Amino acid sequence: ASTAIDMSLGNYFSKTISGTTTFTVSNVPSTGTAMSLILDLTNGGSATVNWWSGVTWAGGTVPTLTASGRDVLGFFTYDGGTTWSGFVLGKALA
């Protein structure tokens, strides 16, 4: 599914938002192994985006994404995917 992020396939994912979207993450390594991913998101601000369980954002605030354009987001976990730290790497990229 276009909203599934399968960590067994790598750590870079490109997604385009065209309506309300709920992301899921699977195949996260076990506790004790740090894992990061980059999400290259197009039109993320054009609709509601629901993040997978455990995502917390820098400053405690979900970022406002670009409605028409690309944003690049980074995420990492160290506890098997129970908690994820999310942050903006770039907004409104060409």
Side-chain angles (χ1 to χ4, degrees):
S2 65
T3 58
I5 295 174
D6 182 347
M7 297 304 295
S8 71
L9 300 176
N11 63 355
Y12 172 82
F13 300 89
S14 178
K15 307 290 183 180
T16 299
I17 302 301
S18 60
T20 298
T21 301
T22 299
F23 284 106
T24 61
V25 176
S26 62
N27 296 312
V28 179
S30 61
T31 296
T33 301
M35 172 58 75
S36 63
L37 71 94
I38 293 175
L39 180 59
D40 192 335
L41 195 58
T42 300
N43 304 338
S46 66
T48 300
V49 174
N50 300 304
W51 302 102
W52 58 93
S53 177
V55 175
T56 58
W57 295 94
T61 303
V62 177
T64 300
L65 301 174
T66 305
S68 180
R70 286 178 50 231
D71 300 310
V72 178
L73 308 171
F75 300 88
F76 76 90
T77 185
Y78 57 87
D79 59 6
T82 300
T83 58
W84 290 86
S85 296
F87 49 96
V88 176
L89 298 174
K91 286 184 69 173
L93 300 170

